[in-house]
Amino acid sequence: MKFVLGIETTCDETAASIVADGKIILSNVIFSQEEIHRAYGGVFPELAARRHIDLILPVIDEAIKQAGISPAQIDLIAVASHPGLMGALLIGVNAAKSLSVAWGKPFVGVNHIEAHLYAAMMGCESFITPSIGLVASGGHTSLVRINDLGSYELLGETIDDAVGEAFDKTARLLGLPYPGGPEIEQLARSSIQKDSLFKPCRTKERPFHFSFSGLKTQALYAIKGKEPLERAKKAAIAYSFQETALNDLVDKSLLALRHFGLKALYVGGGVSNNQRLRTLFEEKKAPQETIFWPPKGLSLDNGAMIAGLGFHLFQKKGVSDPLDLVPFPTNKSLSF
Ligand code: KG4
Ligand code: ZN
């Protein structure tokens, strides 16, 4: 058995996990910094980086302890090295490099977005390829064709806000705390009004691209000048926003699946935590189409998906990344 330590510090979760052979999760420790960032209505990058400094070693220690192994048994260290907040990434990457030197273990930097897709593969015996992947998170919204693990073609992505970001911003307009996704989902569930007030944003001739900032603006106009809104009205806005955003994700993903004549779709990222998204996919998909979701605890940022993907990446590369590996905030290339 090969034990991989996965480290994740791309945004506001400090997380570490021990995964055996790419999919057996022995521990998955996630320290969410939500409490700290709530006061600012979103992630405050400098504070996130500082908190990662305090938390990274205790979180790694706890992951190793919970897995019931010793550092000597770890075969590989995997770390999310891109994309993400630069200050936050540096903490995880430097921790991985330092432990790599101290313990004499190889390390690999992995793509955080690709790891979100891998999370949806972690519960399965084998991966189905070719297939389609949808990443719906706070920082990204992308549709890809998965040719193989590590080989992707970008079909479309958001041209403005990521879907999770639109949830967070709309929640803020409604006076709901950060992170807004779960808050909107909960409020939407209580809505009596079930007609949609909003329309999805068009992306002209690009059928697999997304746009969510106009939807947020439609919500803004429904709220502006009408405060204080009564609870039923707020719930109707949350419901309409959620229905419009999620149906757009579902329709474009299924369009991509059918366009390429494929049958398997992997969905990852924080928004895949949304139960309504899961129901809509189940309602709209054809019987022969299968949607794969991350197992419990693997939708939001976590170290297990980093460790799992790192295992496969290292098998392919066969060598440790160099100690001068530099993290970077953006997604560098079309195929991750
Ligand atoms: O993947 P993630 O943990 O971090 C990024 O890589 O961005 O995703 C966080 C995002 C936030 O925008 C949060 O509001 C959203 O996922 N989210 C949800 C739900 N749970 C988290 N959005 C909609 N419904 C949810 N239940
Ligand atoms: Zn993420």
Side-chain angles (χ1 to χ4, degrees):
M1 229 177 224
K2 296 276 182 213
F3 295 116
V4 182
L5 164 66
I7 300 174
E8 158 63 45
T9 62
T10 57
C11 191
D12 61 340
E13 263 93 26
T14 318
S17 164
I18 301 287
V19 172
D21 293 343
K23 62 171 147 193
I24 305 162
I25 300 169
L26 302 181
S27 64
N28 191 22
V29 179
I30 304 170
F31 188 97
S32 169
Q33 304 180 5
E34 269 169 31
E35 292 296 326
I36 299 164
H37 301 287
R38 194 160 283 155
Y40 304 93
V43 179
F44 192 133
E46 178 63 23
L47 281 184
R50 289 187 197 186
R51 200 70 185 116
H52 285 311
I53 296 175
D54 300 335
L55 291 167
I56 190 70
L57 291 180
V59 164
I60 291 171
D61 273 346
E62 185 59 25
I64 296 171
K65 196 170 121 202
Q66 284 185 18
I69 62 165
S70 69
Q73 288 173 276
I74 294 171
D75 296 286
L76 171 72
I77 301 164
V79 60
S81 58
H82 61 286
L85 302 171
M86 193 57 180
L89 286 166
L90 278 167
I91 312 306
V93 169
N94 283 326
K97 287 179 184 176
S98 311
L99 292 175
S100 163
V101 172
W103 293 339
K105 311 284 181 186
F107 88 100
V108 283
V110 311
N111 182 310
H112 175 84
I113 305 179
E114 186 181 352
H116 270 307
L117 277 184
Y118 183 75
M121 300 173 178
M122 277 186 94
C124 318
E125 256 320 295
S126 57
F127 327 123
I128 300 173
T129 53
S131 48
I132 298 291
L134 169 69
V135 179
S137 73
H140 298 88
T141 308
S142 314
L143 259 178
V144 296
R145 183 186 150 102
I146 307 172
N147 295 324
D148 198 357
L149 212 56
S151 165
Y152 312 87
E153 280 165 59
L154 184 70
L155 303 177
E157 61 188 340
T158 182
I159 57 170
D160 40 54
D161 289 350
V163 63
E165 184 183 359
F167 267 87
D168 294 336
K169 288 179 174 171
T170 303
R172 200 171 167 182
L173 292 173
L174 287 167
L176 301 169
Y178 172 84
E183 299 285 336
I184 290 211
E185 181 177 11
Q186 201 186 346
L187 185 59
R189 221 176 276 139
S190 69
S191 177
I192 299 157
Q193 185 181 317
K194 301 285 183 199
D195 334 307
S196 192
L197 307 168
F198 309 136
K199 287 194 171 63
C201 303
R202 298 231 173 92
T203 46
K204 296 221 170 109
E205 271 100 56
R206 295 174 294 177
F208 303 130
H209 277 57
F210 299 95
S211 167
F212 294 105
S213 81
L215 177 57
K216 177 198 64 195
T217 308
Q218 291 177 63
L220 171 69
Y221 285 128
I223 296 165
K224 213 169 107 183
K226 299 172 188 106
E227 296 106 333
L229 288 180
E230 54 190 43
R231 199 191 140 82
K233 184 67 187 162
K234 278 191 179 182
I237 292 169
Y239 174 84
S240 292
F241 167 83
Q242 177 171 271
E243 286 301 295
T244 312
L246 299 186
N247 272 292
D248 198 36
L249 291 179
V250 173
D251 293 345
K252 286 175 178 162
S253 304
L254 293 178
L255 183 70
L257 207 58
R258 289 160 196 174
H259 177 81
F260 290 100
L262 302 173
K263 301 279 178 286
L265 175 74
Y266 293 91
V267 187
V271 182
S272 71
N273 230 3
N274 187 297
Q275 286 308 312
R276 181 67 184 146
L277 180 66
R278 297 187 181 214
T279 306
L280 282 173
F281 263 120
E282 285 309 312
E283 283 173 7
K284 291 189 164 183
K285 75 173 192 67
Q288 69 277 13
E289 292 165 340
T290 311
I291 320 288
F292 294 96
W293 300 94
K296 203 170 169 2
L298 298 197
S299 286
L300 294 162
D301 291 350
N302 65 84
M305 64 184 190
I306 306 298
L309 184 61
F311 169 80
H312 293 283
L313 201 63
F314 189 67
Q315 276 195 330
K316 258 192 197 163
K317 292 172 101 164
V319 288
S320 180
D321 272 337
L323 282 173
D324 60 1
L325 174 100
V326 183
F328 49 93
T330 53
N331 208 14
K332 250 186 192 167
S333 60
L334 288 190
S335 69
F336 304 149

